[in-house]
Amino acid sequence: MYDAFLLLSFGGPEHPDEVLPFLHNVTRGRGVPPERLAEVAEHYQRFGGVSPINEQCRELVAAIRADFAANAVDLPVYWGNRNWRPMLADTLAQMRDHGIRRAVALATSAYGSYSSCRQYLQDIAAARAAVGPRAPLVDKLRHFHDHPGFVEPFADGLAAALSTLDVTQHATTRVVFTAHSIPVSMAESSGPEGGRYEAQLRETARLVAERAAPGLSWDLVWQSRSGAPHIPWLEPDVNDHLEVLAKEGTTQVAVSPIGFVSDHLEVLWDLDEEAAATARRLGLGFARAGTPGADPRFVAMVRDLVLERMAQPGTRPRTALGRLDHWDVCASNCCPPPVRGR
């Protein structure tokens, strides 16, 4: 049925001169003020104008290729991005030239919303149209927010972060899970019945907390807001939430960015720089948990999802830890764009 695997990702600049063109690609049509773009560009420049996400994708691609070879999955592995090189249309053109007719694809987002799910389907459609009639067909794999290969690396990362905090302050320690904020209208319309994005994130948070932090209270909050100021986005922001926790008597926090697959720039800047600075100012102990990246369990999850799709196209998954009905077929009413002006 399939003759290739495709990794779909967000993309990122790899040279200072690429930062603003990349950000213009990301924010095109979203009404983001120029001053906000300049602010975000400065974040990239603090890291030499290079986002770590592309190198992280290269590591993941290499790990998937090795895992496929070791487990007799005879699919070549390709990689294409939404916003920067290698652009998806260029990758599909290469696949066409290699004789690929149909590929199965994993997007580096575990959850269901317009930007993290349906927009990738639109990216695929636009790239295929650009390539032409011989462009390979591409089927996107389901959401994987509650798959053990996603949950368990987060649980280990959270346990490791907690181990660096003061054990005598356990009673006043709190776990803070973060994910990318999105417009409220996008969150409300995610999934066929609405609210899928938040529901899946809360399910992931629960599964991770049960494994790594039983008995500790936890919250799900948001980071990386980037839209027009007049449009409501999910709140509270992680920095505002740390202020509240400090006032309520929390003395230390372990922050786990469950909304992200790898430690890319939004994790490094928004959490390791900004949230860590907020915690220091408030006198809070602070530890940040890692993300799956190219963890062997996450890589094995990719293979599992591919084999699941090859064996049972169109059916419900069997390997989920959670209880949500989340098979990712993205019907016409699933994850529509946010309502403009809200």
Side-chain angles (χ1 to χ4, degrees):
M1 180 179 183
Y2 297 109
D3 51 6
F5 170 84
L6 173 64
L7 181 69
L8 291 170
S9 194
F10 193 80
E14 298 192 272
H15 187 275
D17 292 343
E18 297 176 354
V19 172
L20 277 176
F22 161 75
L23 291 176
H24 285 301
N25 283 349
V26 174
T27 61
R28 185 173 291 113
R30 289 171 50 187
V32 179
E35 56 271 23
R36 175 57 179 164
L37 284 186
E39 179 185 346
V40 176
E42 178 58 27
H43 300 168
Y44 281 90
Q45 299 300 352
R46 298 277 190 93
F47 290 85
V50 177
S51 169
I53 192 170
N54 273 7
E55 186 57 35
Q56 291 162 0
C57 282
R58 291 186 187 98
E59 293 174 4
L60 182 58
V61 164
I64 292 170
R65 283 178 176 147
D67 180 87
F68 280 8
N71 291 278
V73 178
D74 187 21
L75 295 176
V77 177
Y78 294 85
W79 163 42
N81 290 328
R82 168 183 292 169
N83 296 300
W84 206 248
R85 297 183 288 269
M87 297 298 290
L88 179 56
D90 296 333
T91 300
L92 291 188
Q94 180 188 46
M95 294 167 68
R96 174 202 61 198
D97 294 344
H98 292 173
I100 302 301
R101 299 173 63 185
R102 187 163 196 159
V104 60
L106 180 95
T108 54
S109 176
Y111 305 97
S113 76
Y114 171 71
S115 59
S116 61
C117 177
R118 190 167 184 82
Q119 191 174 2
Y120 278 110
L121 297 178
Q122 294 176 341
D123 294 337
I124 292 168
R128 293 191 68 245
V131 171
R134 293 179 51 235
L137 296 171
V138 179
D139 294 333
K140 179 181 171 294
L141 290 168
R142 66 172 174 90
H143 305 153
F144 51 87
H145 70 286
D146 56 358
H147 193 288
F150 185 65
V151 170
E152 290 170 3
F154 272 120
D156 287 353
L158 178 57
L162 287 167
S163 73
T164 68
L165 298 176
D166 185 351
V167 68
T168 67
Q169 298 181 39
H170 181 82
T172 52
T173 299
R174 200 167 186 94
V175 174
V176 177
F177 294 106
T178 71
H180 205 301
S181 184
I182 61 175
V184 170
S185 63
M186 185 188 293
E188 290 174 347
S189 63
S190 62
E193 299 178 358
R196 173 177 285 186
Y197 183 64
E198 287 188 78
Q200 289 178 331
L201 280 158
R202 292 192 183 279
E203 183 75 351
T204 304
R206 181 187 68 79
L207 292 167
V208 173
E210 285 178 352
R211 284 157 178 74
L216 284 181
S217 297
W218 58 267
D219 307 293
L220 173 65
V221 301
W222 312 98
Q223 63 171 91
S224 310
R225 188 197 196 285
S226 60
H230 69 283
I231 297 177
W233 283 49
L234 293 175
E235 295 178 340
D237 177 79
V238 59
N239 295 284
D240 296 336
H241 188 65
L242 294 180
E243 298 265 5
V244 172
L245 290 181
K247 290 177 182 177
E248 292 178 345
T250 296
T251 61
Q252 52 186 11
V253 294
V255 177
S256 175
I258 56 169
F260 305 92
V261 166
S262 64
D263 286 10
H264 57 68
L265 192 128
E266 285 174 315
V267 174
L268 299 180
W269 179 262
D270 293 351
L271 299 183
D272 294 358
E273 297 289 333
E274 289 187 338
T278 298
R280 285 193 299 271
R281 175 173 58 79
L282 296 170
L284 287 172
F286 181 91
R288 201 267 290 172
T291 52
D295 184 288
R297 292 166 294 184
F298 184 72
V299 175
M301 179 206 77
V302 175
R303 168 171 38 90
D304 183 48
L305 295 180
V306 169
L307 295 177
E308 173 189 274
R309 186 59 175 262
M310 293 172 73
Q312 297 182 319
T315 62
R316 293 270 308 276
R318 296 174 298 166
T319 55
L321 289 171
R323 295 182 297 276
L324 296 180
D325 179 3
H326 64 277
W327 176 255
D328 182 14
V329 294
C330 279
S332 59
N333 65 336
C334 178
C335 302
V339 177
R340 297 299 177 188
R342 288 185 59 190

